[in-house]
Amino acid sequence: MQDVLAVVTVVVVGLMVGVEFAVAVFVNPILDRLPNDGGVEARSDGARVLGRVMPFWYIGSVVLGAVWSTLTWGDAGASLVAAGTALLVVSVVMSILLLVPINSRVATWSQEGVPADWKQQVGRWDRFHYVRVGVIVLAFTLFAVALV
């Protein structure tokens, strides 16, 4: 049972890392290069869609990590799982305090109605997102090493 939980946790967190990495490194830079601020509506739609899905994915990942950590407490690798879970908690706190407020504003934008400082706002979100991606990549790495 613990092995199944470990694999499920690594897969769920790994997929989340992949999505967030793709947004940071590929999707948003591509949207930012669209002519005539064409990426505004795409970012807004992405903020709405991912804003509904990602909270469940992040919290679910924390729960999986916490259960895995609890079940393996005292075993080899348990400290790696606990540290990875703690990093996921950090990513959730970062999300709530730093990224969600910006994301909530972006979700309301349209091509006709964006604030004058919209580029600064998405730039700030992107910088926070890069840090969050680093945190969850490290959490995923700790989980993967603990699995071995």
Side-chain angles (χ1 to χ4, degrees), residues 85-141:
T85 303
L87 286 171
L88 290 179
V89 170
V90 168
S91 75
V92 169
V93 171
M94 285 181 62
S95 297
I96 293 168
L97 296 179
L98 303 172
L99 290 119
V100 168
I102 299 169
N103 197 66
S104 295
R105 288 191 300 273
V106 172
T108 66
W109 296 350
S110 69
Q111 191 72 14
E112 296 80 32
V114 296
D117 69 338
W118 74 269
K119 288 184 180 181
Q120 290 80 13
Q121 289 189 52
V122 297
R124 187 168 187 230
W125 187 92
D126 286 343
R127 287 188 297 279
F128 290 143
H129 184 63
Y130 296 144
V131 173
R132 178 175 63 180
V133 169
V135 169
I136 65 174
V137 164
L138 184 53
F140 172 70
T141 302

Side-chain angles (χ1 to χ4, degrees), residues 3-120:
D3 291 339
V4 171
L5 175 64
V7 169
V8 168
T9 303
V10 168
V11 169
V12 168
V13 173
L15 290 171
M16 182 178 73
V17 166
V19 168
E20 294 290 35
F21 181 84
V23 166
V25 176
F26 300 109
V27 175
N28 283 347
I30 289 168
L31 297 178
D32 290 343
R33 288 192 299 271
L34 291 174
N36 303 320
D37 300 330
V40 170
E41 288 188 49
R43 274 191 181 252
S44 181
D45 189 48
R48 285 188 299 275
V49 171
L50 293 175
R52 284 190 296 266
V53 174
M54 296 314 284
F56 296 102
W57 210 338
Y58 273 85
I59 298 301
S61 296
V62 168
V63 169
L64 287 168
V67 171
W68 182 15
S69 181
T70 301
L71 291 177
T72 60
W73 196 253
D75 296 348
S79 60
L80 296 173
V81 177
T85 303
L87 286 171
L88 290 179
V89 170
V90 168
S91 75
V92 169
V93 171
M94 285 181 62
S95 297
I96 293 168
L97 296 179
L98 303 172
L99 290 119
V100 168
I102 299 169
N103 197 66
S104 295
R105 288 191 300 273
V106 172
T108 66
W109 296 350
S110 69
Q111 191 72 14
E112 296 80 32
V114 296
D117 69 338
W118 74 269
K119 288 184 180 181
Q120 290 80 13

